[in-house]
Amino acid sequence: MSEPSLHAAAAKDDAAAIARLLAAGAAIDARDDTGATALLVATHANRVAAAKALIEAGADVNAKDRIDDSPYLYAGARGHLEILKMTLRHGADLKSTNRYGGTALIPASERGHVETVRTLIEAGVAVDHVNNLHWTALLEAIILGDGGERHQRIVGLLVKAGANVNLADGDGVTPLQHARNRGFRQIETTLVAAKAR
């Protein structure tokens, strides 16, 4: 039986095959037709063993595919916490941005990944970065969130981390106004306590 490709081994979470392929000279950051490296393939599927084998062998955690996803950015956006933490230990570029011009913190906040948001804040990702939609992580957590417990906790984390609670969107609408418009009472309370207007 022939050895799978590095990308196929990553998709199957086959760390042993990855080690054999790399030892045989496989290019660790080779791209598939979408521009993805094997590490990005592993990250897409949250294949922790494969990601670990690739990262420890020196795979580039910042290598972007054709739509500007990197293993670091994708792990952050999807809440793949174990892989995210590995990318952070191995040179993740905290200033890198996705196709919307956002850092990993913005989609993590939108999607309600509480521990991911905490991890990214602790790593030092800028909390007030503004993406191409003129939204910060705080705005995105409110505008695209559901106002439930996870988004309430994320808003609390962002506020505690020093997020500018009065940084408005491109239309001049503030986080507090968005929270009120959506009837998110708990988030409104958090923002008001932080001197939001």
Side-chain angles (χ1 to χ4, degrees), residues 2-14:
S2 67
E3 196 73 90
S5 73
L6 199 57
H7 287 74
K12 288 194 195 110
D13 211 20
D14 190 343

Side-chain angles (χ1 to χ4, degrees), residues 105-106 125-131 135-138 162-165 167:
L105 184 62
I106 295 177
V125 175
V127 291
D128 285 331
H129 178 87
V130 180
N131 69 11
W135 292 349
T136 59
L138 180 60
N164 180 346
V165 293
L167 199 55

Side-chain angles (χ1 to χ4, degrees), residues 81-98:
L81 197 56
E82 278 185 82
I83 295 175
L84 175 66
K85 286 180 175 176
M86 286 189 267
T87 68
L88 290 168
R89 286 193 299 271
H90 288 84
D93 176 3
L94 302 184
K95 289 185 170 66
S96 65
T97 55
N98 59 29

Side-chain angles (χ1 to χ4, degrees), residues 55 128 188 194:
I55 289 170
D128 285 331
E188 183 183 338

Side-chain angles (χ1 to χ4, degrees), residues 70-179:
S70 70
Y72 157 65
L73 287 169
Y74 193 89
R78 295 292 171 175
H80 295 338
L81 197 56
E82 278 185 82
I83 295 175
L84 175 66
K85 286 180 175 176
M86 286 189 267
T87 68
L88 290 168
R89 286 193 299 271
H90 288 84
D93 176 3
L94 302 184
K95 289 185 170 66
S96 65
T97 55
N98 59 29
R99 61 191 170 279
Y100 304 108
T103 62
L105 184 62
I106 295 177
S109 298
E110 172 224 322
R111 292 179 175 145
H113 300 308
V114 180
E115 288 312 310
T116 302
V117 168
R118 187 190 318 277
T119 300
L120 289 166
I121 288 170
E122 286 170 1
V125 175
V127 291
D128 285 331
H129 178 87
V130 180
N131 69 11
N132 298 341
L133 302 169
H134 305 288
W135 292 349
T136 59
L138 180 60
L139 281 164
E140 200 141 315
I142 297 167
I143 294 169
L144 299 176
D146 61 12
E149 188 205 348
R150 291 177 313 150
H151 288 100
Q152 291 166 26
R153 288 170 64 197
I154 285 168
V155 167
L157 287 169
L158 291 167
V159 168
K160 190 174 163 201
N164 180 346
V165 293
N166 293 306
L167 199 55
D169 65 18
D171 297 319
V173 183
T174 66
L176 181 60
Q177 289 168 313
H178 279 293

Side-chain angles (χ1 to χ4, degrees), residues 1-22 26-28 30-32 36-39 41 50 54:
M1 189 177 95
S2 67
E3 196 73 90
S5 73
L6 199 57
H7 287 74
K12 288 194 195 110
D13 211 20
D14 190 343
I18 288 168
R20 287 194 301 274
L21 287 160
L22 292 174
I28 196 165
R31 312 296 184 120
D32 66 12
T37 60
L39 177 55
V41 168
L54 288 160

